Every structure is written in structure tokens, then in C-alpha cells.
Amino acid sequence: MNLLLFTADDLLAPGRLAVSDRRLQHLHTVHRARPGDTVRVGETGGLMGQGVLVELDRQRAVIEFSLDTPPPAKLPVTLLLALPRPKMLRRILRSAAEFGVESLVLINSYRVEKSYWQTPVLQPGTVRDYLLQGLEQARDTVLPAVHLEPRFKPFVEDRLPALLAGRRALLAHPRDDAPLPPTDNRDALVVAIGPEGGFIPYEVEKLLDSGFEAVALGPRILRVENAVSSVLGRLLPAP
Amino acid sequence: MNLLLFTADDLLAPGRLAVSDRRLQHLHTVHRARPGDTVRVGETGGLMGQGVLVELDRQRAVIEFSLDTPPPAKLPVTLLLALPRPKMLRRILRSAAEFGVESLVLINSYRVEKSYWQTPVLQPGTVRDYLLQGLEQARDTVLPAVHLEPRFKPFVEDRLPALLAGRRALLAHPRDDAPLPPTDNRDALVVAIGPEGGFIPYEVEKLLDSGFEAVALGPRILRVENAVSSVLGRLLPAP
């Protein structure tokens, strides 16, 4: 937790907040914080700043803070991802927030097991918790939007065209396509990554027909989470 | 498992192998394989090719195969990594093999907890198992070398100079340094990545004195495993 994120619910008064949940545990066990220590804080969706621990015990931490710093710019990237298995989904939600993608669309594919759509990880509160963990790691306050699209064809035919308008769309594919092209940090991108085993030919064709360019990540077949971080890593802006 | 890896111990005769361990389970539960199916096989450290499942039951799988394809080229990269916590270490071992790094050096740092050096994950057999999982994923047969360096100063002073000879050395650092420079795929690189919280100033100084250039991954603080895959992803060759 490189940033303690809070919402209006945590405020005792303007400039004064209290936490008593996972964030309190983290202050004790990971930061080994003491009263008087400074902590970086951020308002979810808002500014970041510094705080001082004016009270700290087993029940709660009270922090007096001021906010002055905007969060880092988002990557102008929409990640279109075949729904991964739950264990991997958790890590990918954290990573998507950590890398700063603007939005994440989880779509169906022939090779996505139906049971994956039933996982408790997809409950809105749980999705939010994993995203917050990524923001806390990366020092960001702005949650990426997450959309679920459990039906491939209606999504591609009815909603994908609007999503792609004005954006460059890249389909990462472990094959002999063109390498990932250089992209300007300001290019708005949609990046699609298939399930383990890849999109089936019908799905690839539908995506290419919709305007995706097939690009290759190299000769190695990467696990989905490594494909994601490998692509997003290449798109991160220089400092 | 995109490739079934075997060693001489698995051979019944030339061109004929049997497996009865994790690989057999995987054929049943993930591949849902049937007798007569073809499988990609590779000899650990050697060539890859095709096999046919001539026998398959709960006890064992027998595969007749021939080998004709060399494994993909390694990334000419030595990854120098402050020993991560065990859970992350497992994933990073898999990823290092998956991305094809030539060697991985796990070093100590002030911010590495001493207990991490005692983890059973570091047993040679366990390290090898995780590396094999990465090779199976990426379709590669050549294990990266793994070295443990539990003492920072003797490593940096006595063994690092030889490791850096003829190689470009980059220290990834979440700060305002120069961005990761473009590198030729054939450049031999050493890439150092610190622990959670980063190398301490003394360690950074020792590494810079040894010839490392500080490079930045961007304004976001990435978890170690995302820093690793983000850097390695940028170094992957085009197909």
C-alpha cells in the first residue's frame, strides 16, 4: 500500500479521516506505523496528498491530511480481455488498475469456461477491492471502468463499433503476425487479448472485421497475465 | 502445458516415452486427451517435435515421438532480482522461464526479509519445477540458470564485474531517471530490479558504481512481478 485511499465515508471532518479495516491492519503489520508517522493518502477519484497519524491503536487510525497532487495520467487504453479463470482474474484486476488502464472489458469467448462467469470475484464489491489494491500499489486514485460482456456476438456487433470509434484497435495473438507497432502515448488504444488457447478462428475473424489489427507478442506463448503486463508495460509513458 | 517436456529418465526406448506424474494428470484433466491424440513434446535442453499417445490410462501415458525443431532463441538477458517473497517468487520463476531469460540471479538487499532465504521454494528441485512450468507454457526446452546470492556486498564486489563484462546493465528504478532505452534484441543485457520498497541508496550507489545505468519504468510504482514482465515484454523479439 503505497497510498492510503479513502472515500467520503471515512471522513470525520474535513481534512480528518479514520480507518478501521484492512487499511488499519496494513498500517500495523506492513508499515509498522507509529502515531506521528506521515502517510500518503488519496481520495478515491480525487487528489492525493500527505497525512499524519494523529491516533493509532488496534481499533482505528485517525489521520489529518491535506491534498494537493493530481493522480498520474491514465493509460489511454481499453483492455478487452476474454474472461480469465478466477485466480488469474484477481491478479489481472489488480494489474489493470496498477498499470492505469482507463477501462477493462471482460468478454466471452468459446474457450472461456461458462463457470467463470459465476465466480464471486465478479461481484462489484470484490472487483472494486482488487482494483483499489492496484491503485494503492501504483499511487493512483482513479478506478478503471469495468464492463462485463458475457455474450460475444451481441457485444461485437452492437457495442464494439462505438467502443472502437476514434481508437486504434490491436488484437494480440501468439502467431506470426506483425509485431506490436510503436504507439504514441497519446494514442487511444483498444487492446484485445484472448483466453488460454486463444480466440477461435470465428472470433478472430469477427474482431478483424470490426477493425482490429492482429499483432504478435513474439514466438513464445505467454500466460494471459504475462501477455497483459507485457503489452501494458510497452505502452507505459516515459517519466 | 503447451509442450510436454521429458528427460532421458522418461524414455522406454528411443522415440518412445512414458509419463505417470503431473504431466499425466495434465493430459487427463486439462487436455482431456484420448489415445491417438497428438501432443507436442520436447526434450529438456534439446529439440521439440510431435508425439502420438499410443497408450493412455490412469496409470501412465505412452507417447511415440520424433524431434525436429529447435527451441526458440533465449532472450540474451540476465535478470538480477532482489529475492521476492515466496508467493511472488514462484510466479517470477515461471515467468522468467516463460519469457526466455538466459539466467536469473536472486540477490539479497536490505529490504529482503531474511526469512525469504529459508523458503522451500528455493530448493533446487522446486525451482526446477517452476521453471519447467514456464517452459511448458512458452514452448521452450532450455532451463534458465538460477544463482542465489544471499550476501549483497561480496556479490557486487567479487562476482558482478565478471557478470557485467561485455553486457549493458540497466537498473530499473521507480524514479525520475531516463526511460528504458531502446535495445537491440541482440544486445546482451543485465536488468536489475529491486525489492518492494526499492534498493536502499547504498545499494543503488554500489550498483551504479559497478556500471549499471538507472532507467525508469514510468511514474507508477509497479509490483515486482509486473515490473519484471513489463521490462521483459519490452525486450521480447518480434516474431
Side-chain angles (χ1 to χ4, degrees):
Chain A
M1 190 168 71
N2 295 311
L3 182 72
L4 186 147
L5 281 168
F6 67 91
T7 65
D9 289 346
D10 301 312
L11 292 178
L12 299 174
R16 194 174 165 92
L17 67 89
V19 295
S20 56
D21 54 10
R22 178 178 63 82
R23 294 165 292 178
L24 175 65
Q25 295 306 320
H26 200 92
L27 287 170
H28 279 302
T29 57
V30 180
H31 291 257
R32 303 182 197 287
R34 301 286 175 102
D37 285 358
T38 59
V39 279
R40 285 172 191 261
V41 299
E43 181 162 18
T44 307
L47 295 173
M48 311 192 293
Q50 289 282 348
V52 176
L53 277 162
V54 293
E55 260 185 62
L56 178 68
D57 57 28
R58 292 282 139 195
Q59 270 65 53
R60 69 172 193 172
V62 176
I63 297 170
E64 289 188 350
F65 66 90
S66 61
L67 303 178
D68 51 14
T69 311
K74 284 288 174 204
L75 275 190
V77 171
T78 294
L79 187 60
L80 198 72
L81 195 67
L83 182 66
R85 59 194 158 82
K87 195 173 163 185
M88 197 177 273
L89 174 61
R90 288 197 293 263
R91 291 203 292 269
I92 287 177
L93 288 170
R94 274 198 298 249
S95 294
E98 189 177 316
F99 280 106
V101 303
E102 269 180 0
S103 72
L104 172 64
V105 184
L106 296 167
I107 67 173
N108 198 34
S109 152
Y110 182 78
R111 294 210 175 99
V112 169
E113 286 192 26
K114 283 203 176 51
S115 64
Y116 294 175
W117 289 102
Q118 309 307 323
T119 173
V121 180
L122 285 178
Q123 304 279 334
T126 313
V127 165
R128 184 184 160 93
D129 283 345
Y130 285 110
L131 296 175
L132 287 173
Q133 290 174 27
L135 296 180
E136 289 170 351
Q137 166 67 39
R139 287 197 189 137
D140 189 359
T141 67
V142 182
L143 288 158
V146 175
H147 304 280
L148 306 186
E149 291 288 355
R151 295 177 64 210
F152 181 85
K153 193 157 172 273
F155 166 66
V156 169
E157 292 180 354
D158 303 340
R159 289 179 292 285
L160 188 57
L163 184 64
L164 297 191
R167 292 188 170 94
R168 187 166 182 191
L170 305 176
L171 168 61
H173 212 57
R175 275 193 348 204
D176 301 333
D177 297 299
L180 193 65
T183 53
D184 190 289
N185 289 333
R186 287 155 302 179
D187 282 352
L189 286 181
V190 180
V191 178
I193 294 179
E196 290 176 81
F199 286 117
I200 61 171
Y202 164 80
E203 293 164 343
V204 171
E205 198 182 308
K206 291 290 276 183
L207 292 171
L208 296 180
D209 285 351
S210 306
F212 277 88
E213 308 162 49
V215 297
L217 298 181
R220 292 169 180 274
I221 305 173
L222 300 178
R223 269 178 302 150
V224 171
E225 59 193 303
N226 278 337
V228 167
S229 45
S230 157
V231 169
L232 295 181
R234 289 186 230 199
L235 301 175
L236 277 185
Chain B
M1 188 167 74
N2 296 310
L3 182 73
L4 186 147
L5 283 168
F6 67 91
T7 65
D9 290 345
D10 301 312
L11 291 178
L12 300 173
R16 192 175 167 92
L17 67 88
V19 294
S20 56
D21 54 11
R22 178 178 64 84
R23 295 166 291 178
L24 175 65
Q25 295 307 322
H26 201 92
L27 286 170
H28 280 301
T29 57
V30 180
H31 291 256
R32 303 183 197 286
R34 301 288 175 102
D37 284 359
T38 59
V39 278
R40 284 172 192 261
V41 298
E43 180 161 19
T44 307
L47 295 174
M48 312 192 292
Q50 289 283 349
V52 175
L53 277 162
V54 293
E55 258 186 65
L56 179 66
D57 58 27
R58 291 282 140 192
Q59 270 65 54
R60 70 171 192 173
V62 177
I63 296 169
E64 288 187 351
F65 66 89
S66 62
L67 304 177
D68 50 15
T69 310
K74 284 287 172 206
L75 275 190
V77 171
T78 294
L79 187 60
L80 199 71
L81 195 67
L83 181 66
R85 58 195 158 82
K87 195 172 164 185
M88 197 177 273
L89 174 61
R90 289 198 293 263
R91 290 203 292 270
I92 287 177
L93 287 169
R94 274 198 297 248
S95 294
E98 190 177 316
F99 280 105
V101 304
E102 269 179 1
S103 71
L104 173 63
V105 183
L106 296 167
I107 67 173
N108 198 32
S109 153
Y110 182 79
R111 294 210 174 98
V112 168
E113 285 192 25
K114 284 203 173 52
S115 64
Y116 295 175
W117 289 103
Q118 309 307 324
T119 174
V121 181
L122 285 177
Q123 303 279 334
T126 313
V127 166
R128 184 184 161 95
D129 283 346
Y130 286 110
L131 297 175
L132 288 173
Q133 290 174 28
L135 297 180
E136 288 169 352
Q137 166 67 39
R139 289 199 188 135
D140 188 0
T141 66
V142 182
L143 289 157
V146 175
H147 304 280
L148 306 186
E149 291 287 355
R151 294 177 64 209
F152 182 85
K153 193 156 173 273
F155 166 67
V156 169
E157 292 180 353
D158 303 340
R159 289 180 292 285
L160 187 58
L163 182 64
L164 297 192
R167 294 187 169 95
R168 188 165 182 192
L170 305 175
L171 169 61
H173 212 56
R175 272 194 347 202
D176 304 333
D177 297 300
L180 194 65
T183 53
D184 190 288
N185 289 332
R186 287 155 300 180
D187 281 352
L189 287 181
V190 180
V191 178
I193 295 179
E196 291 176 79
F199 286 117
I200 61 172
Y202 164 81
E203 294 165 343
V204 170
E205 198 183 309
K206 291 291 277 184
L207 292 171
L208 296 180
D209 285 351
S210 306
F212 277 88
E213 306 161 51
V215 297
L217 299 181
R220 291 168 179 277
I221 305 173
L222 300 177
R223 269 178 302 151
V224 171
E225 59 192 305
N226 278 338
V228 167
S229 45
S230 157
V231 169
L232 295 180
R234 289 185 230 198
L235 301 174
L236 277 184

Coordinates of all heavy atoms in Angstrom, one line a residue, chain A residues 132-160:
Chain A
L132 N -8.8 -1.4 -6.2 CA -8.3 -0.5 -5.2 C -6.9 -0.9 -4.8 O -6.0 -0.1 -4.6 CB -9.2 -0.4 -3.9 CG -10.5 0.4 -4.1 CD1 -11.4 0.3 -2.9 CD2 -10.2 1.9 -4.4
Q133 N -6.7 -2.2 -4.7 CA -5.3 -2.7 -4.3 C -4.3 -2.3 -5.4 O -3.2 -2.0 -5.1 CB -5.3 -4.2 -4.2 CG -6.1 -4.7 -2.9 CD -6.2 -6.2 -2.8 OE1 -5.3 -6.9 -3.4 NE2 -7.2 -6.7 -2.2
G134 N -4.7 -2.4 -6.7 CA -3.8 -1.9 -7.7 C -3.5 -0.4 -7.7 O -2.4 0.0 -7.9
L135 N -4.6 0.4 -7.4 CA -4.4 1.8 -7.3 C -3.4 2.1 -6.1 O -2.6 3.0 -6.2 CB -5.7 2.5 -7.1 CG -6.7 2.4 -8.2 CD1 -8.0 3.2 -7.8 CD2 -6.1 3.0 -9.5
E136 N -3.6 1.4 -4.9 CA -2.8 1.7 -3.8 C -1.3 1.4 -4.1 O -0.4 2.0 -3.6 CB -3.2 0.8 -2.6 CG -4.6 1.1 -2.0 CD -5.1 0.1 -1.0 OE1 -4.5 -1.0 -1.0 OE2 -6.1 0.3 -0.3
Q137 N -1.1 0.3 -4.9 CA 0.3 0.0 -5.2 C 0.9 1.0 -6.1 O 2.0 1.5 -5.9 CB 0.2 -1.4 -6.0 CG 1.5 -1.7 -6.7 CD 2.7 -2.0 -5.8 OE1 2.5 -2.6 -4.8 NE2 3.9 -1.5 -6.2
A138 N 0.1 1.5 -7.1 CA 0.7 2.4 -8.2 C 0.6 3.8 -7.8 O 1.2 4.7 -8.5 CB 0.0 2.2 -9.5
R139 N 0.0 4.2 -6.6 CA -0.3 5.6 -6.3 C -1.2 6.3 -7.3 O -0.7 7.2 -8.0 CB 1.0 6.4 -6.0 CG 1.7 6.0 -4.8 CD 2.7 7.0 -4.3 NE 3.5 6.4 -3.2 CZ 4.8 6.5 -3.1 NH1 5.5 7.2 -4.0 NH2 5.4 6.0 -2.1
D140 N -2.4 5.8 -7.4 CA -3.4 6.4 -8.3 C -4.7 6.4 -7.5 O -4.8 5.7 -6.5 CB -3.5 5.5 -9.6 CG -4.3 6.1 -10.7 OD1 -4.9 7.3 -10.5 OD2 -4.4 5.5 -11.7
T141 N -5.6 7.3 -7.9 CA -6.9 7.3 -7.2 C -8.1 7.0 -8.1 O -9.2 6.8 -7.6 CB -7.1 8.8 -6.6 OG1 -7.3 9.7 -7.7 CG2 -6.0 9.2 -5.7
V142 N -7.9 6.9 -9.4 CA -9.0 6.8 -10.3 C -9.2 5.3 -10.7 O -8.4 4.7 -11.4 CB -8.8 7.7 -11.5 CG1 -10.0 7.6 -12.5 CG2 -8.5 9.1 -11.1
L143 N -10.4 4.8 -10.3 CA -10.7 3.4 -10.7 C -10.9 3.3 -12.2 O -11.6 4.1 -12.8 CB -12.0 3.0 -10.0 CG -11.9 2.8 -8.5 CD1 -13.2 2.9 -7.8 CD2 -11.3 1.4 -8.2
P144 N -10.4 2.2 -12.8 CA -10.8 2.0 -14.2 C -12.2 1.5 -14.2 O -12.7 0.9 -13.2 CB -9.9 0.8 -14.6 CG -9.3 0.2 -13.4 CD -9.5 1.2 -12.3
A145 N -12.9 1.8 -15.3 CA -14.3 1.2 -15.5 C -14.1 -0.3 -15.9 O -13.2 -0.6 -16.6 CB -15.0 2.0 -16.6
V146 N -15.0 -1.1 -15.4 CA -15.0 -2.5 -15.7 C -16.4 -2.9 -16.3 O -17.4 -2.5 -15.7 CB -14.7 -3.4 -14.5 CG1 -14.8 -4.9 -14.8 CG2 -13.3 -3.1 -14.0
H147 N -16.4 -3.4 -17.5 CA -17.7 -3.9 -18.1 C -17.6 -5.4 -18.3 O -16.6 -5.9 -18.7 CB -17.9 -3.2 -19.4 CG -17.8 -1.7 -19.4 ND1 -18.9 -1.0 -18.9 CD2 -16.8 -0.8 -19.6 CE1 -18.6 0.3 -18.9 NE2 -17.3 0.5 -19.3
L148 N -18.8 -6.0 -18.1 CA -18.9 -7.5 -18.4 C -19.7 -7.7 -19.6 O -20.8 -7.1 -19.7 CB -19.5 -8.2 -17.2 CG -18.9 -7.9 -15.8 CD1 -19.6 -8.8 -14.8 CD2 -17.4 -8.2 -15.8
E149 N -19.2 -8.5 -20.5 CA -19.9 -8.8 -21.8 C -19.9 -10.3 -21.9 O -19.1 -10.9 -22.7 CB -19.2 -8.1 -22.9 CG -19.2 -6.6 -23.0 CD -20.7 -6.1 -23.3 OE1 -21.5 -6.9 -23.7 OE2 -20.8 -4.9 -23.3
P150 N -20.9 -10.9 -21.3 CA -20.9 -12.4 -21.3 C -21.4 -13.0 -22.6 O -21.4 -14.3 -22.7 CB -21.9 -12.8 -20.1 CG -22.6 -11.5 -19.7 CD -21.9 -10.4 -20.4
R151 N -21.8 -12.2 -23.6 CA -22.2 -12.8 -24.9 C -21.3 -12.1 -26.0 O -21.4 -10.9 -26.2 CB -23.7 -12.6 -25.1 CG -24.5 -13.4 -24.1 CD -26.0 -13.1 -24.3 NE -26.5 -13.6 -25.6 CZ -27.5 -13.0 -26.3 NH1 -28.1 -12.0 -25.8 NH2 -27.8 -13.5 -27.5
F152 N -20.5 -13.0 -26.7 CA -19.6 -12.5 -27.6 C -20.2 -11.7 -28.8 O -19.8 -10.6 -29.1 CB -18.7 -13.6 -28.1 CG -17.6 -13.2 -29.1 CD1 -16.4 -12.8 -28.6 CD2 -17.8 -13.3 -30.5 CE1 -15.4 -12.4 -29.5 CE2 -16.8 -12.9 -31.4 CZ -15.6 -12.4 -30.9
K153 N -21.2 -12.4 -29.5 CA -21.7 -11.9 -30.8 C -22.4 -10.5 -30.6 O -22.1 -9.6 -31.3 CB -22.5 -12.9 -31.4 CG -22.9 -12.7 -32.9 CD -23.2 -14.0 -33.6 CE -23.7 -13.7 -35.0 NZ -25.2 -13.5 -35.0
P154 N -23.4 -10.5 -29.6 CA -24.1 -9.2 -29.4 C -23.1 -8.1 -29.1 O -23.2 -6.9 -29.5 CB -25.0 -9.4 -28.3 CG -25.2 -10.9 -28.3 CD -24.0 -11.5 -28.8
F155 N -22.1 -8.4 -28.3 CA -21.1 -7.4 -27.9 C -20.4 -6.9 -29.2 O -20.3 -5.7 -29.4 CB -20.1 -7.9 -26.9 CG -18.9 -7.0 -26.8 CD1 -19.0 -5.8 -26.2 CD2 -17.6 -7.4 -27.2 CE1 -17.9 -4.9 -26.1 CE2 -16.5 -6.6 -27.1 CZ -16.7 -5.3 -26.6
V156 N -19.9 -7.8 -29.9 CA -19.0 -7.4 -31.1 C -19.9 -6.7 -32.1 O -19.5 -5.7 -32.7 CB -18.4 -8.7 -31.7 CG1 -17.8 -8.3 -33.1 CG2 -17.3 -9.2 -30.8
E157 N -21.1 -7.1 -32.3 CA -21.9 -6.5 -33.4 C -22.6 -5.2 -32.9 O -22.7 -4.3 -33.7 CB -23.0 -7.5 -33.8 CG -22.3 -8.7 -34.6 CD -23.3 -9.7 -35.1 OE1 -24.5 -9.6 -34.8 OE2 -22.9 -10.6 -35.8
D158 N -23.0 -5.1 -31.6 CA -23.8 -4.0 -31.2 C -23.0 -2.9 -30.5 O -23.4 -1.7 -30.5 CB -25.0 -4.5 -30.3 CG -25.9 -5.5 -31.0 OD1 -25.8 -5.5 -32.3 OD2 -26.6 -6.3 -30.3
R159 N -22.0 -3.3 -29.7 CA -21.4 -2.3 -28.8 C -19.9 -2.0 -29.2 O -19.4 -1.0 -28.9 CB -21.5 -2.7 -27.4 CG -23.0 -2.6 -26.9 CD -23.2 -3.0 -25.4 NE -23.0 -4.4 -25.2 CZ -23.9 -5.4 -25.5 NH1 -25.0 -5.0 -26.1 NH2 -23.7 -6.6 -25.3
L160 N -19.3 -3.0 -29.8 CA -17.9 -2.8 -30.2 C -17.7 -1.6 -31.1 O -16.7 -0.8 -30.9 CB -17.3 -4.1 -30.7 CG -15.8 -4.1 -31.0 CD1 -15.0 -3.8 -29.7 CD2 -15.3 -5.4 -31.5

